[in-house]
Structures are given as structure tokens and as C-alpha cells.
Amino acid sequence: MLSRVHSALLVGIDAHPCEVEVDLDPSGLDQQGVVGLPDAAVRESLQRVRAALQNAGYPFPVGKTLINLAPADVRKEGPMYDLPIAAGLLLAQQVIGAGAASGGLDPRTTVLAGELSLDGRVRPIRGALSIADRARSDGMRSVIVPSDNAPEAAVVEGIDVFGVSTIAEVVGLMGGELEPEPMPPADVASLVTQAEPEVDFADVKGQEGAKRALMIAAAGAHNLLMLGPAGSGKTMMARALPGILPPLSPGEAIEVTRVHSAATQAGGGPGLVTTRPVRTPHHTASSAAIVGGGAVPRPGEVSLAHLGVLFLDELPEFPRGVLETLRQPLEDGVVTIARASGTVRFPARFMLVAAMNPTPKGDLPAGEQGRRDMERYLSKLSGPLLDRIDLHVEAPRVAWKELGGPRGGLSTVEMRDSVLRARRVAEGRQGPGRPNASLSGRELDAMSGIDDDATALLGQAIESLGLSARAYDKIRRSSRTIADLAGSTGVTIEHVAEAVQYRLLDRRLSSV
């Protein structure tokens, strides 16, 4: 007896179709095998499926059983094939009937994925949203996934999503014994929310200059580096940053969820990432943890921060080799991981927000020796990496009179309103999902609106500071964002002058 069941395989964060073929020969020797480049977890699936079926009261076939996972030239990984293999075995034994003819789900138009426990329960898997999206693209009518993954998969419109908790529910749905009731589709727009900040910017005493730079960074999705002595509020301001970022659009929320679903075991909750992610890896993190990798490539912190924020505290304490791996994703917005078996690409369009002290001791440099200590500490950061950071801002020590004074200055609500207005202006000019930081040089030529006086000042800054072509475009992007915050259609000399001031580490400093 031969049966076919549809499933999927994950490559990076993308799902591809996989057909599970089951061939039973009752007259052959009692042996089972899985072919089609399975990994160890897939080869072990037969043992889990045998126990799950028997403990749930269903027969496991006797005789020769061959299971093929097609296409046979792509490696299959993980336990997600337990459920389709079990369904294929039951179809081949005619425990599950014709499906569509009996009022159940038609196996020809249904995609299955799930891990089985030994007692027949169905456990969550990775990548349920991507699997449902691919099933819809391939013209399938329904998808069966673990109940923990169903809210996530239901985000995809145009396909029926059924969440199951046991193998018995799968048999009932496909055999027509249970009335198919798909998961209600998720209203993504209503689920997306504004992030609740840990700290209100009004609680940050002093640092109005740094707060202004953070507002510019949020308005244009610019990378930012804060430089200042220990205890000046850099980390506190980074914790307040999510509160002024614009909420995710429904499309962005789905895009972010796909990355997180492929990276972690999803389960429970609404299943949808509803706020912009903020990742804060420790400085002991490896290159693979930051940019992704492994024998089976998984997304790293830069991809988990996609469309959100990657905050690196004490930036020079990260190994230089780890920091240098950031250069390509900062420039391209993707991470490309090459292995002998193929190449995987992960999205990585994130805001880099970093903080650092001027010296290893964390204090301001004093005297010639302090100056040398600062130069040595700053030299841990390469020029090409600093070149890719749009805004360098000083966070000076706060005077005790300000520390003891009342709350004041820019608040989170005020900054958020300004950021949202500037983002709307940018979207009206260059389209949704295109912040100023993403504009190419050609687009800047067409959209920057820089006047002659501002162009002359920019040229002087490039010549006197010896800035690179990349820094030139960074200043133009920042100037465009500053103009948007000011409600100006053009970029004037004042906007360029402020943007140049944020190239702190491009200048020769006498002090910090």
C-alpha cells in the first residue's frame, strides 16, 4: 500500500514543500526505514511514531515499511515530520479513510507538521507561520499544526489552520469523525501595540543632547553610539528607547514573527511578535550567537533584532572579531551564512544602539596618560565599523544639581509624538517601511532637498574631517531626518550643522 502526505521543510526562515511517501509491504521482512537525507532526529521519528500510535490505540504496520521524504536531495532536520509520517502510516493502513469523501480534510490539499510524544500528544515545532504561508502559496486548502502553534499559523490569511493536541484529533479531522473548525484568523492590526518602555525619558536627569540624538535615531532608524563616563545614564536611555519607536505594521509583525519562529520553539500566547524586538546580548557572546550560524544555520541576535533594536552595552568589551562581523549586516540588511550544503540568508535590518565608556576605568581621561588610555580604548573599534554608525553622541557626567532637581526635559510621550510625525513625513515621501537610514545614495540625491549653503557646509566638513563617502551619505541621511523632525521640506545649513556634530569620533578630540 502506498500513501502520500504533504509536509514542509525549513531552510533558514523559509519553508519549502516536502512530500512524505509511505510504502507498506506486509509480506516483507519486519523492518522500517526512512530515506531522503534525514538527520538523526528524523531517523528516530519511527520510534516515536511507533510508540505514539500504539499508546493511542492505533496499529503500527507489520512488514517492510519504507518512508521517503521528497525532494531526496535536501537534508531534512528536526522532529516536525513525526505527525505527517504517522498520518501517512494510518492512511496506508486505511485507518484514515478517503478524507474528502467522508467529510474530513483531504490529504491531497492538507499540510501536516508536528512532533509526537510517546503517548500520542502533539508538541510544538519551529516555523509554523512560514509553513502555513508556503502551504497557501502552493495552493493548499488547510494546514494541521500543534495547537500551541495554531495562533501563529493563523496569522496567514487564505488558508484554514487546524490546531491539534493529540494524534486522535488528526485521525478525526482527516477521517471525517470530527467537524473541522479552523482557527479564527488573527487580526494582526489590532494585535500590534506600542512597546511599553522600562524607563520614561523624563526620568533621565540632564542628557538633553543625548536624548535629542536618540529621538533623531528613532525617527530615521539610524545607528547610534553613546560615549560617556560610567553612571551618566547611557544604559538607562537605551532602556527608554523602545517607548519612542513607532509600532510595527501588520506586515512587519509577520516578518519579525517568521524569524523568531524559525529561531525558537514557539508555543502558547498569541503567537505573533507585536512589538519591535530589542536584543541586548552580553559582551561574551560569540560570532555565531551574534550573526547566526551553526551546523544547522539558525538566526543570530542581529536577525532576532530585525526591524527592532540591537543594543550593545560596553561596546569595546566585545571581541573585535565579533564586532567586525556586524559590518556586512549593517550595510546590507541581511546575513548570508555559507555552508557546504548551501547558503542561507537571514534578514537583519536593525538599529544598532551602542554605549561605551571613554576609558577602561569608565572615567574621563585626565592628563596625557589619560589621553593615551582613551585612544588605546577607542582603538578597539575599527574605523569601518564606526563609519557605519550614523550618530556619535556624548553623554557627559550629570551635575549634582541636575540629579537632585525635579523631573524635566523631553519626556517619552513628547519624543514619541515627534518621531511618529517625522516617520509619517518620510513615508509620504519615500513609501512605507522605508526610513531615512535605508535610502541609497541615488535616492538621497533625489529626496534630500539640500540647499546650496548646506551643501557648501557639508563639503567643508568632508574636507576638514577627512570623512569617507559612506560618512558623507550618513550625514545626508541624518540631515534629512533632522529636517523631517523640524517639519522642513528642504535640508538647510542648520540641519547639516547638527548632523555633522554627531560625527563625534570622526573628529580629533581634545577631551570627551
Side-chain angles (χ1 to χ4, degrees):
M1 294 292 295
L2 178 67
S3 67
R4 292 184 179 87
V5 175
H6 295 284
S7 187
L9 59 93
L10 283 178
V11 179
I13 67 170
D14 297 319
H16 299 270
C18 176
E19 189 173 70
V20 180
E21 299 176 306
V22 178
D23 181 59
L24 301 184
D25 182 5
S27 63
L29 295 175
D30 189 17
Q31 61 181 16
Q32 297 82 34
V34 180
V35 297
L37 284 183
D39 71 349
V42 180
R43 289 194 298 270
E44 292 170 352
S45 65
L46 274 177
Q47 304 302 318
R48 290 190 297 273
V49 169
R50 179 196 294 270
L53 291 179
Q54 292 176 344
N55 290 328
Y58 298 106
F60 190 85
V62 176
K64 184 177 180 181
T65 302
L66 179 63
I67 298 168
N68 179 45
L69 306 178
D73 60 343
V74 180
R75 188 166 180 80
K76 318 303 185 303
E77 296 149 348
M80 63 186 291
Y81 302 101
D82 291 3
L83 193 59
I85 288 174
L89 290 171
L90 294 176
L91 279 168
Q93 298 177 92
Q94 298 183 340
V95 174
I96 297 177
S102 58
L105 301 181
D106 190 343
R108 294 171 298 181
T109 58
T110 300
V111 172
L112 298 94
E115 177 185 350
L116 287 176
S117 65
L118 300 186
D119 60 358
R121 289 178 293 114
V122 183
R123 290 175 171 158
I125 56 170
R126 297 186 299 111
L129 192 155
S130 296
I131 292 170
D133 187 51
R134 182 63 195 228
R136 179 191 61 180
S137 300
D138 290 343
M140 296 295 175
R141 297 180 58 185
S142 56
V143 60
I144 297 177
V145 294
S147 56
D148 286 341
N149 295 118
E152 172 191 327
V155 168
V156 179
E157 298 179 350
I159 190 168
D160 292 334
V161 175
F162 298 91
V164 293
S165 300
T166 64
I167 186 65
E169 293 179 25
V170 179
V171 174
L173 285 171
M174 300 187 71
E177 297 156 6
L178 290 178
E179 183 69 27
E181 294 184 6
M183 186 82 181
D187 184 357
V188 180
S190 65
L191 291 173
V192 173
T193 60
Q194 184 81 36
E196 289 296 329
E198 296 182 38
V199 180
D200 192 306
F201 272 105
D203 295 327
V204 180
K205 304 293 182 65
Q207 303 298 4
E208 293 304 307
K211 288 158 70 172
R212 165 73 176 174
L214 281 162
M215 183 170 66
I216 295 169
H222 301 290
N223 303 318
L224 177 139
L225 170 63
M226 292 180 283
L227 175 65
S232 59
K234 302 185 297 295
T235 303
M236 187 177 183
M237 288 186 285
R239 288 176 178 168
L241 176 63
I244 66 173
L245 293 174
L248 291 167
S249 69
E252 288 176 333
I254 293 173
E255 191 174 349
V256 172
T257 302
R258 290 182 66 220
V259 177
H260 285 251
S261 177
T264 58
Q265 191 97 326
L272 183 75
V273 178
T274 58
T275 60
R276 291 191 182 273
V278 179
R279 307 293 297 188
T280 57
H282 193 261
H283 63 258
T284 57
S286 65
S287 296
I290 296 295
V291 300
V296 179
R298 296 283 180 87
E301 292 291 334
V302 297
S303 295
L304 294 173
H306 180 56
L307 298 178
V309 176
L310 178 69
F311 176 55
L312 302 183
D313 203 2
E314 303 300 338
L315 185 65
E317 299 302 324
F318 284 81
R320 184 167 182 139
V322 171
L323 294 180
E324 292 306 299
T325 60
L326 295 174
R327 288 162 58 174
Q328 185 250 339
L330 282 172
E331 194 73 15
D332 301 335
V334 296
V335 172
T336 304
I337 299 174
R339 294 290 182 268
S341 58
T343 300
V344 178
R345 290 164 63 90
F346 295 114
R349 286 187 288 116
F350 59 94
M351 274 180 61
L352 174 64
V353 178
M356 64 174 292
N357 300 324
T359 64
K361 293 181 181 179
D363 57 357
L364 292 171
E368 187 60 29
Q369 181 59 44
R371 173 69 180 185
R372 286 197 294 269
D373 289 343
M374 184 184 73
E375 293 289 351
R376 190 178 304 112
Y377 198 54
L378 292 177
S379 68
K380 291 187 175 183
L381 307 177
S382 70
L385 176 63
L386 290 175
D387 223 17
R388 287 168 167 81
I389 300 178
D390 309 51
L391 310 175
H392 313 154
V393 61
E394 180 185 359
R397 192 182 303 281
V398 182
W400 71 268
K401 290 184 178 180
E402 290 182 282
L403 290 174
R407 295 168 80 241
L410 290 170
S411 69
T412 291
V413 172
E414 294 170 329
M415 295 172 69
R416 179 193 301 158
D417 290 343
S418 296
V419 167
L420 293 179
R421 282 196 302 271
R423 286 272 185 143
R424 285 193 291 268
V425 170
E427 287 184 355
R429 181 178 56 246
Q430 56 228 23
R434 294 293 314 282
N436 292 330
S438 68
L439 295 177
S440 66
R442 180 178 298 177
E443 290 171 325
L444 282 168
D445 293 338
M447 300 179 185
S448 64
I450 187 168
D451 64 28
D452 293 340
D453 290 339
T455 300
L457 176 62
L458 181 55
Q460 292 175 10
I462 296 296
E463 291 293 330
S464 60
L465 299 177
L467 300 181
S468 67
R470 182 181 292 112
Y472 167 70
D473 280 343
K474 294 287 187 185
I475 292 175
R476 291 203 293 166
R477 294 184 184 106
S478 302
S479 301
R480 182 63 267 175
T481 300
I482 294 168
D484 289 342
L485 284 167
S488 173
T489 56
V491 175
T492 67
I493 191 170
E494 291 83 5
H495 305 142
V496 170
E498 183 176 1
V500 170
Q501 291 301 308
Y502 293 127
R503 302 302 299 182
L504 180 70
L505 297 181
D506 289 331
R507 292 181 267 134
R508 297 183 177 274
L509 304 176
S510 57
S511 63
V512 178

